[in-house]
Amino acid sequence: MIQTKVNIPWEDRPKGLTDVIWRYSNNPVINRYQIPTSNSIFNSAVVPFKDGFAGVFRCDNKAVQMNIFAGFSKDGLNWEIDHDPIQMKAGNTQLLHSDYKYDPRVTFIEDRYWVTWCNGYHGPTIGIAYTFDFKEFHQCENAFLPFNRNGVLFPQKINGKYAMLSRPSDNGHTPFGDIYISYSPDMKYWGEHRLVMKVTPFVDSAWQCTKIGAGPVPILTKEGWLLFYHGVITTCNGFRYSMGAALLDINEPSKVLYRTKPYLLAPAASYELTGDVPNVVFPCAAVHDELGKIAIYYGAADTVTAISFGYIDEIIEFIKRNSL
Ligand code: BMA
């Protein structure tokens, strides 16, 4: 595991609870109206930055236009989110038009922070930008053709290349979807696309039988890449989004070593059950410390942002013991 000395948000497991993941008692940490124009702030990404944290937040405004906003926090709980969306400058290409931007992920690679998000370019695809300071952002080539969502970079090169997970989709609410990996020598040209994992048969693990998508940036552990992901079931009341996890081979992450059969977290708290889109737990970021404590940030009911906690060792044990 990468050793990072950060004071992550933390709360011990409530007495009597045996679940491997537990919710912060003060959830949600970001409410829907936290900036003057917002209708909802959810599915957002945070990383350690300087002596605190920085983040890229999905804020839908009151016209329900989807965009991404930068924010800063000393403790990972109390956030100052910019009131204006990120204004991109040109990165490794001419400035690209975006109809919308949503569901960001952020990771530090080598010398800068990279942001990926679902970018509206004649339909959803994967946008990429870099920043050094969360003030100036440079937008690069889209990684893929439309339609694609849930683009998540690995935090380091693998066999000399940048690596990204993604989920090819359609132009709507996509009733299907598996996770793929792609590689790039330069963050501009992507190829060597390989399947990582598919949805599960309904009878084996129904919470992840409609579609799946990568969540936070994978975490390198001695047991493999720890990947949290969302899984979706189609119920008579629509989609229900839950969180599971997998361990991927360190050098060949298209190989799934273990993958949870039961979910780790599913909509059950009131802020996950009620909101603009009920029954959604949508993880987009995780921060961990040198002791192996982890705080996972997730969007709840497409309305607010919440945190859950766990210990990396226990989560790995759980994945191995409850694997498909
Ligand atoms: C997906 C995306 C996410 C959203 C989820 C549930 O298709 O739009 O942003 O959280 O649906 O509505």
Side-chain angles (χ1 to χ4, degrees), residues 67-81:
N67 217 327
I68 54 177
F69 293 60
F72 299 90
S73 172
K74 285 265 171 265
D75 59 6
L77 295 169
N78 296 288
W79 286 90
E80 296 281 334
I81 299 174

Side-chain angles (χ1 to χ4, degrees), residues 86-93 95 112-115 117 127-133 135-141:
I86 293 169
Q87 296 298 324
M88 296 286 177
K89 297 191 165 147
N92 63 11
T93 187
L95 191 58
R112 65 192 74 186
Y113 297 88
W114 289 91
V115 187
W117 68 90
I128 306 181
Y130 64 84
T131 182
F132 294 96
D133 55 8
K135 292 196 170 101
E136 205 173 283
F137 291 77
H138 296 266
Q139 186 171 348
C140 298
E141 277 295 337

Side-chain angles (χ1 to χ4, degrees), residues 2-265:
I2 295 169
Q3 304 276 298
T4 14
K5 249 206 151 31
V6 275
N7 280 322
I8 64 163
W10 184 254
E11 195 173 68
D12 284 335
R13 178 187 272 121
K15 282 211 168 57
L17 194 83
T18 53
D19 294 344
V20 73
I21 296 285
W22 60 96
R23 295 173 176 81
Y24 182 41
S25 61
N26 247 335
N27 272 344
V29 287
I30 298 171
N31 72 60
R32 64 184 308 167
Y33 299 131
Q34 196 142 322
I35 62 172
T37 52
S38 62
N39 164 76
S40 44
I41 307 180
F42 58 110
N43 300 4
S44 299
V46 315
V47 282
F49 179 69
K50 294 189 175 164
D51 58 346
F53 300 87
V56 176
F57 296 86
R58 171 180 178 173
C59 305
D60 295 3
N61 69 16
K62 292 184 176 76
V64 194
Q65 293 172 296
M66 296 151 198
N67 217 327
I68 54 177
F69 293 60
F72 299 90
S73 172
K74 285 265 171 265
D75 59 6
L77 295 169
N78 296 288
W79 286 90
E80 296 281 334
I81 299 174
D82 291 350
H83 290 188
D84 294 306
I86 293 169
Q87 296 298 324
M88 296 286 177
K89 297 191 165 147
N92 63 11
T93 187
Q94 79 277 19
L95 191 58
L96 295 176
H97 170 75
S98 301
D99 289 324
Y100 48 79
K101 298 188 180 82
Y102 63 77
D103 297 358
R105 318 302 204 268
V106 183
T107 187
F108 184 79
I109 310 176
E110 292 160 348
D111 63 344
R112 65 192 74 186
Y113 297 88
W114 289 91
V115 187
T116 54
W117 68 90
C118 177
N119 192 39
Y121 182 79
H122 307 283
T125 184
I126 309 303
I128 306 181
Y130 64 84
T131 182
F132 294 96
D133 55 8
F134 289 87
K135 292 196 170 101
E136 205 173 283
F137 291 77
H138 296 266
Q139 186 171 348
C140 298
E141 277 295 337
N142 291 323
F144 309 117
L145 292 167
F147 309 116
N148 205 317
R149 291 188 177 93
N150 298 300
V152 180
L153 286 165
F154 283 74
Q156 64 189 56
K157 286 181 174 169
I158 296 173
N159 303 319
K161 293 186 187 121
Y162 296 105
M164 192 185 332
L165 300 168
S166 76
R167 210 279 308 286
S169 64
D170 69 12
N171 201 12
H173 294 298
T174 315
F176 62 88
D178 304 321
I179 299 176
Y180 288 78
I181 190 167
S182 308
Y183 294 92
S184 171
D186 56 4
M187 282 282 188
K188 186 165 189 176
Y189 298 100
W190 293 86
E192 296 170 54
H193 314 292
R194 300 284 182 276
L195 176 74
V196 177
M197 56 195 214
K198 284 182 182 275
V199 294
T200 48
F202 179 84
V203 288
D204 292 344
S205 179
W207 66 269
Q208 49 184 331
C209 73
T210 295
K211 54 180 169 174
I212 53 175
V217 167
I219 298 165
L220 185 58
T221 76
K222 54 184 185 323
E223 305 267 357
W225 289 103
L226 173 59
L227 172 69
F228 294 97
Y229 64 95
H230 66 258
V232 180
I233 179 175
T234 309
T235 72
C236 56
N237 200 30
F239 290 154
R240 179 180 192 245
Y241 283 71
S242 307
M243 177 177 81
L247 282 170
L248 311 179
D249 184 84
I250 293 180
N251 298 312
E252 217 180 306
S254 56
K255 273 194 198 151
V256 179
L257 307 175
Y258 301 95
R259 172 179 174 188
T260 48
K261 182 171 174 157
Y263 57 70
L264 289 172
L265 190 74

